[in-house]
Structure formats: C-alpha cells, structure tokens
Amino acid sequence: MSELFVKYPGYKNRISDLDIKLTMKQATEIANHVHIPLGFLFLNEPFEESLPIKDFRTLNNKVAKKISLNLRNVINQCQLQQDWFTEYAEENDLEKCSLVNKSNLDEDPKDAAEKLKIYLNYKEKDLSKADDYRRYLRAVIEQAGVLVFISSTVGNNNTRPLDINEFRGFALSDPYAPLIFINSSDSVSAQIFTMIHELAHIMLGESGISNEAMEDIFVSSQIEK
C-alpha cells in the first residue's frame, strides 16, 4: 500500500469529517511522532489500551482516569525489563523475592515496618544528605531482590519528561522480579517517601500507580492509606 487515508474528526476550518491522503512515509512519520505502532493508523476506531496495572492516583479526591502516553510507555518499558529478568530467574533457578506478599491490610503498619527492616537488613545510618540516604535505601532494596528504576524521562529521551502532577511512582509486583519506578522530577526527600510507599505495595503484592505526596493524610483507597 503506497498511501493511507487518516480520518480527522475536525479541523481548524471546522470541517466535521475530513479525509487527508498521506503517503506511507508521512504516515510512518506521524506514528513515530506520537509514539504509536504504524498499524494503529489503519484502524477504523481509535485504539483504547487498558492499563496493565491498578490506578491508585487521585485528583481532588477523585480517581484520576487519564494517563499520558509518556507514563504508559514507561510502564511498558519496565514490564519488558521485568519479563526479561523473570525469565532469566526461572531459567537459572533463582529464589523468589521474600518481600512479595509478606504483608496484608490487616497487619498493623508499625509491625509491617519492623518486618520490612528485617527483610531489608536495614541499619540506621547517620546520613545528613538526602541524596546519600536515597542511595543507601535503593541499595538495600535492590539487595533484597527488588528492581529500582529512577528517572525523570521516558528512557533516555530528554524531550519526553515525566510529570509529577500525573504520578510520583509505581510498583510492579512479581514473585521473581518485583519492580519499583520513581519519578525523579520530584524532590529527593519526596522520592524517598515514594520509594518506601511503592515498597509497601510490593509487600502487599499489589501493582499500581501512585501520586500520593508526603503531606497527604486523606486518602480514599484503603491500600494507599
């Protein structure tokens, strides 16, 4: 096929249904620009991709339903990396991560925190800088078998920044390769909070996206609370 027709619901001259003829090269450039597979442009209706994990985000005490392409792409990239590590772990008979599903909503939060310290082999550190503490915390979490990714962009693409107003982090629970992603557009102290918040998701065995801030005290979801 040498050309493609793309339907637009409207245009600046308010034509309600406009057919524009594109060459395959132009269609490919459009797909690359909006970061979607080329085949999506051939569909009769827009493709609605459901979220692969739970959405615990709230906005003005309401569930935040919209999700940007940047966030969706980051989740997809992390899932690919998680799938690779899970396959590697199974092929090499590696042990499952002991942190996953080690708590539940009936457990007292203080007891869960003490249990977490034991699983992490956590030691109190006299670290005056938040950067140093974040580095230490990440190290003990990864030593316990949890993958931790920290970034402010989609991959290494600086033209695709991640918005903390949309999400602060997410957790992907898995027996072999639990994963935490932290949006580093946030302050370092907030990143530390989010890292522990997402680690609690791993302990509950609950994957999900979060945008809770340190000062949030009224949270609708029982899991987030």
Side-chain angles (χ1 to χ4, degrees):
M1 179 180 291
S2 61
E3 55 190 357
L4 171 71
F5 290 92
V6 180
K7 259 187 198 291
Y8 288 88
Y11 196 59
K12 61 183 180 181
N13 56 3
R14 300 192 178 185
I15 297 176
S16 61
D17 196 8
L18 181 67
D19 282 341
I20 298 179
K21 184 184 294 185
L22 299 175
T23 65
M24 183 58 73
K25 180 181 178 181
Q26 290 172 326
T28 302
E29 289 176 352
I30 289 176
N32 291 337
H33 183 72
V34 297
H35 309 288
I36 64 172
L38 176 62
F40 282 13
L41 297 179
F42 290 88
L43 299 175
N44 293 325
E45 299 292 336
F47 181 75
E48 293 292 338
E49 184 181 6
S50 59
L51 272 176
I53 58 178
K54 292 181 180 179
D55 193 347
F56 294 107
R57 299 171 305 141
T58 57
L59 184 63
N60 298 326
N61 296 323
K62 295 182 179 179
V63 176
K65 295 182 179 180
K66 292 185 178 181
I67 179 170
S68 70
L69 187 61
N70 284 354
L71 174 52
R72 189 183 299 278
N73 286 166
V74 166
I75 294 174
N76 290 341
Q77 289 174 3
C78 286
Q79 286 184 314
L80 287 174
Q81 291 169 309
Q82 185 182 55
D83 290 344
W84 178 90
F85 191 86
T86 297
E87 184 177 342
Y88 172 83
E90 291 175 337
E91 289 178 351
N92 291 274
D93 297 321
L94 300 184
E95 294 183 0
K96 294 181 179 180
C97 179
S98 59
L99 274 173
V100 181
N101 289 318
K102 287 304 179 183
S103 187
N104 58 68
L105 294 179
D106 295 326
E107 186 171 16
D108 183 271
K110 291 183 179 180
D111 293 338
E114 291 303 317
K115 181 193 295 184
L116 179 59
K117 287 183 179 181
I118 295 173
Y119 278 113
L120 294 179
N121 193 26
Y122 177 87
K123 307 296 183 183
E124 296 292 340
K125 295 283 185 177
D126 184 18
L127 301 173
S128 59
K129 294 182 179 180
D131 274 326
D132 292 337
Y133 185 76
R134 183 188 63 176
R135 192 176 299 111
Y136 167 70
L137 188 61
R138 180 181 187 177
V140 296
I141 291 174
E142 290 185 330
Q143 188 65 36
V146 180
L147 304 173
V148 180
F149 295 90
I150 302 176
S151 180
S152 61
T153 62
V154 179
N156 295 318
N157 191 341
N158 291 328
T159 65
R160 301 185 65 190
L162 301 175
D163 184 2
I164 62 168
N165 293 316
E166 180 179 29
F167 85 108
R168 295 174 184 271
F170 59 80
L172 300 177
S173 183
D174 180 87
Y176 286 101
L179 184 150
I180 290 173
F181 185 93
I182 306 298
N183 186 347
S184 60
S185 297
D186 221 344
S187 67
V188 176
S189 57
Q191 290 176 48
I192 293 170
F193 171 85
T194 301
M195 197 178 299
I196 300 172
H197 178 107
E198 301 306 337
L199 191 58
H201 271 279
I202 299 299
M203 286 188 72
L204 292 171
E206 286 280 357
S207 300
I209 311 171
S210 306
N211 69 340
E212 254 51 71
M214 289 184 290
E215 63 271 15
D216 288 340
I217 56 175
F218 299 106
V219 183
S220 58
S221 166
Q222 181 63 25
I223 290 176
E224 291 297 85
K225 187 180 298 182

